[in-house]
């Protein structure tokens, strides 16, 4: 039998009873249509957005391991309050993993598909925590020579989101930007983009270690939200850069409000006259992550010219259209090992992904603790 007719796939199932179950199932690999190929998946990252589907708000202090070493099963309780948000996924066994990379082992009959036989490629489209993935040619990118699947595993979500931030900044007429949880994998990419493109960037972090990481790669403005001087430090950086748009990965708590407040103070420092309605400078915070699940608290001390909204990669890409997407993808391909390089602390198999000791590490979403899954490891 030829390789990859079936393979293991990681599934996340939230039962109506409130129990989350993670397991591996053996699934047949769909035969490729004319415009499709079958890829042996060799590298796929565990990003916060994957964890949202894999584990979500489940209470992992209740997690238990069962099954066997080859077919582990994890179960955990979902808090009652979180179940309402999950109604649309109840009792569905869902595949996980937004992006990945591997080697084409079978192709459909189109010329574009056949040209990819044996090539290392990156993919986007979900269900990547699987040994074999049938996928359309349009959803893959051939990796440049000298690049391994591990180099190309995180080619889409974080790189295009970081590029999407500077594009959004330009399209909405801002000249510099603010970023939170800024020492993240994505934050480091954003720093490299901004340094290369000459864009002012104010990084907000929550520890000295994170500040050191960013200074080391050349960041100029790094402010620590845990410092007593945070509001003054942020205001000064905003005055110097002129940043009036922020991308906030944290979401919960007061940070979005603090950013808008400091933007307003910065705007008033250069205002020509007093306005009782606040400055007329447009101040925007986009919440693009949920690292903190608490409510977003706004204390409106920043006038009336402001906005807080959500930002998601997919609608942004739909808005800019295929030609612009192609340009951004081309930039990622040519800077894959520099600007858009990702670092991983561990490479795990599908079975190792479902070990409680590993889940405890990657589910913390800590700086520099990213895991890479190789579904065909060993
Ligand atoms: N909207 C979109 O389309 C989109 C697309 C891609 C990524 N994202 C989001 O981008 C963010 C970064 O992704 P990544 O892969 O670069 O992450 P990452 O490398 O895993 O880093 C996560 C960072 O978040 C910090 N963090 C975790 N919990 C926090 C909290 N409660 N408060 C403050 N900081 C916290 C960590 O710092 P510590 O070490 O201090 O914990 C770490 O620096 C994620 O929120 C992800 O969901 C959104």
């Amino acid at each position: 039998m030829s390789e990859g007719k079936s393979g293991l796939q990681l599934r996340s199932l939230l039962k109506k009873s409130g129990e989350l179950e993670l397991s591996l199932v053996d699934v047949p690999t769909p035969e490729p249509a004319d415009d499709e190929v079958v890829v042996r998946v060799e590298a796929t990252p565990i990003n916060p957005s994957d964890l949202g589907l894999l584990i979500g708000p489940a209470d992992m202090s209740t997690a238990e391991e069962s099954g066997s070493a080859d077919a582990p099963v994890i179960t955990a309780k979902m808090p009652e309050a979180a179940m309402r948000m999950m109604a649309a996924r109840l009792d569905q066994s869902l595949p996980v993993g937004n992006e990945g990379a591997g080697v084409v082992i079978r192709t459909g009959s189109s010329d574009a598909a056949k040209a990819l036989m044996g090539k290392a490629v990156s993919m986007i489209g979900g269900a990547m925590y699987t040994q074999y993935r049938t996928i359309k040619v349009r959803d893959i990118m051939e990796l440049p020579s000298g690049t391994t699947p591990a180099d190309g595993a995180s080619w889409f979500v974080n790189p295009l989101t970081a590029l999407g931030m500077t594009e959004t900044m330009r399209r909405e007429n801002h000249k510099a930007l603010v970023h939170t949880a800024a020492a993240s994998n994505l934050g480091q990419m954003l720093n490299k983009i901004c340094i290369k493109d000459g864009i002012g960037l104010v990084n907000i972090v929550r520890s000295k270690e994170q500040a050191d990481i960013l200074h080391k790669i050349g960041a100029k403005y790094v402010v620590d939200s845990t410092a007593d001087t945070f509001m003054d430090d942020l205001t000064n950086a905003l005055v110097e850069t002129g940043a009036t748009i922020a991308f906030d990965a944290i979401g919960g708590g007061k940070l979005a409000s603090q950013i808008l407040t400091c933007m307003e103070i910065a705007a008033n420092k250069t205002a020509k006259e007093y306005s009782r309605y606040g400055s007329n400078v447009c101040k925007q915070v986009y919440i693009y992550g949920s690292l903190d699940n608490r409510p977003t608290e706004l204390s409106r001390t920043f006038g009336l010219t402001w906005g807080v909204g959500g930002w998601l990669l997919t609608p942004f890409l739909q808005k800019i259209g295929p030609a612009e997407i192609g340009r951004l993808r081309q930039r990622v391909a040519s800077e894959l090992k520099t600007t858009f390089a990702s670092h991983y602390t561990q490479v795990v198999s599908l079975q190792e992904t479902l070990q409680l000791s590993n889940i405890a590490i990657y589910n913390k979403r800590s700086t520099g603790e990213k895991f890479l899954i190789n579904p065909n490891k060993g």
Side-chain angles (χ1 to χ4, degrees), residues 151 154-164 166 182-199 201 214 217 328-344:
D151 293 327
S154 299
W155 72 293
F156 197 92
V157 179
N158 281 346
L160 289 184
T161 301
L163 286 170
T166 55
S184 64
N185 174 266
L186 190 155
Q188 294 181 43
M189 292 178 187
L190 184 62
N191 271 280
K192 292 179 197 163
I193 293 168
C194 288
I195 290 166
K196 206 162 185 182
D197 296 358
I199 297 169
L201 172 63
L214 294 180
I217 60 171
L328 299 184
R329 277 173 61 152
Q330 190 48 51
R331 177 162 184 189
V332 176
S334 58
E335 297 173 37
L336 200 53
K337 290 173 93 166
T338 53
T339 313
F340 302 106
S342 291
H343 300 286
Y344 309 97

Side-chain angles (χ1 to χ4, degrees), residues 48 158 161 185-186 206 210 288 291 311 313 365 367 370:
N158 281 346
T161 301
N185 174 266
L186 190 155
R206 64 171 178 180
Q210 293 169 352
Y288 81 101
L291 291 167
W311 192 99
L313 178 59
R365 302 154 167 89
T367 311
K370 209 174 271 300

Side-chain angles (χ1 to χ4, degrees), residues 46-51 156-162 165 179-189 205-207 210 225 248-250 252 255 287-294 310-315 362 364-370:
I46 305 179
N47 282 326
S49 49
D50 301 307
L51 290 169
F156 197 92
V157 179
N158 281 346
L160 289 184
T161 301
M165 290 176 182
H179 188 225
T180 72
S184 64
N185 174 266
L186 190 155
Q188 294 181 43
M189 292 178 187
V205 296
R206 64 171 178 180
S207 71
Q210 293 169 352
S225 60
D248 176 24
I250 297 167
L255 189 56
I287 295 178
Y288 81 101
S290 299
L291 291 167
D292 183 333
N293 283 320
R294 290 175 303 156
W311 192 99
L312 194 63
L313 178 59
T314 314
Y362 65 67
K364 278 196 284 189
R365 302 154 167 89
S366 298
T367 311
E369 280 283 6
K370 209 174 271 300

Side-chain angles (χ1 to χ4, degrees), residues 254-280:
K254 298 186 166 71
L255 189 56
S257 193
Q258 289 173 316
I259 294 168
L260 288 169
T261 300
C262 292
M263 283 178 177
E264 178 70 0
I265 298 170
N268 283 328
K269 283 196 175 191
T270 49
K272 303 236 172 4
E273 60 185 39
Y274 171 74
S275 161
R276 65 192 159 129
Y277 301 113
S279 78
N280 60 5

